[in-house]
Amino acid sequence: MTRPHEKMMLAALAQAEKAGQNQEVPIGAVLVAQTGEILAKAYNRTIALADPTGHAEILAMRAAAQKIKNYRLLNTTLYVTVEPCVMCMGAIIHARIARVVYGAPDPKWGALGSIYNFADGQKFNHHPEIIAGICEARCRAIIQAFFRARRGAEKANR
């Protein structure tokens, strides 16, 4: 039996797989209400949307806000396969998301401790609970495989 966080992270991983199938960086997100209802699922679509803000987290927050007709996503949990970046953490804080659960750290862009730690920023007016490392190996593997394949394709095209 999987723990509750693992079940939702598996749903986020399914979204990440869709991103990879569409040649997008394979990151997936699922936003869940306090009741356990999934409010939104999304995956990276920066290329398809020609939108630098088309990250999985942002798209999930937009969809959930439209669904509940409120930009405040109070008492929600955001599951994301990779540690959110600075842009996404800013939006998470503004939306007042209660909890962020992520799989793999992001040593190049991470804003929950890898580079910056927005959850610990005493100057912010909201501090979401952070749970890291859920399904970490699977989350890391999908993103590493994507970039490994991309580098291989780039070498072949030289």
Side-chain angles (χ1 to χ4, degrees):
M1 180 171 163
T2 62
R3 296 185 309 229
H5 292 311
E6 290 172 350
K7 179 181 177 186
M8 291 301 173
M9 189 60 75
L10 292 175
L13 275 161
Q15 292 297 303
E17 288 172 3
K18 289 180 183 180
Q21 291 164 358
N22 288 292
Q23 310 311 309
E24 301 272 5
V25 175
I27 297 175
V30 175
L31 191 61
V32 180
Q34 187 174 24
T35 61
E37 173 193 2
I38 294 176
L39 297 173
K41 298 178 186 179
Y43 56 88
N44 272 9
R45 297 186 62 216
T46 56
I47 297 167
L49 298 174
D51 180 358
T53 69
H55 290 199
E57 301 96 318
I58 299 291
L59 297 175
M61 285 186 275
R62 285 179 185 159
Q66 288 298 307
K67 182 174 184 170
I68 67 170
K69 304 290 186 228
N70 192 338
Y71 72 102
R72 296 280 194 231
L73 300 169
L74 304 172
N75 303 312
T76 60
T77 300
L78 179 67
Y79 293 86
V80 61
T81 56
V82 175
E83 178 183 4
C85 70
V86 170
M87 174 184 68
C88 292
M89 276 309 301
I92 288 164
I93 290 166
H94 279 289
R96 307 297 194 275
I97 289 174
R99 180 180 302 109
V100 177
V101 180
Y102 72 90
D106 186 344
K108 293 187 179 186
W109 291 97
L112 285 176
S114 289
I115 296 179
Y116 301 102
N117 192 347
F118 277 40
D120 206 24
Q122 295 305 310
K123 293 186 179 192
F124 293 123
N125 62 344
H126 177 68
H127 304 95
E129 176 187 357
I130 307 302
I131 299 171
I134 303 298
C135 302
E136 182 175 347
R138 285 189 65 185
C139 292
R140 182 183 295 113
I142 192 171
I143 198 130
Q144 285 178 339
F146 174 82
F147 283 111
R148 197 175 301 117
R150 183 185 241 178
R151 284 190 300 272
E154 287 172 3
K155 284 182 184 177
N157 289 329
R158 287 184 193 164

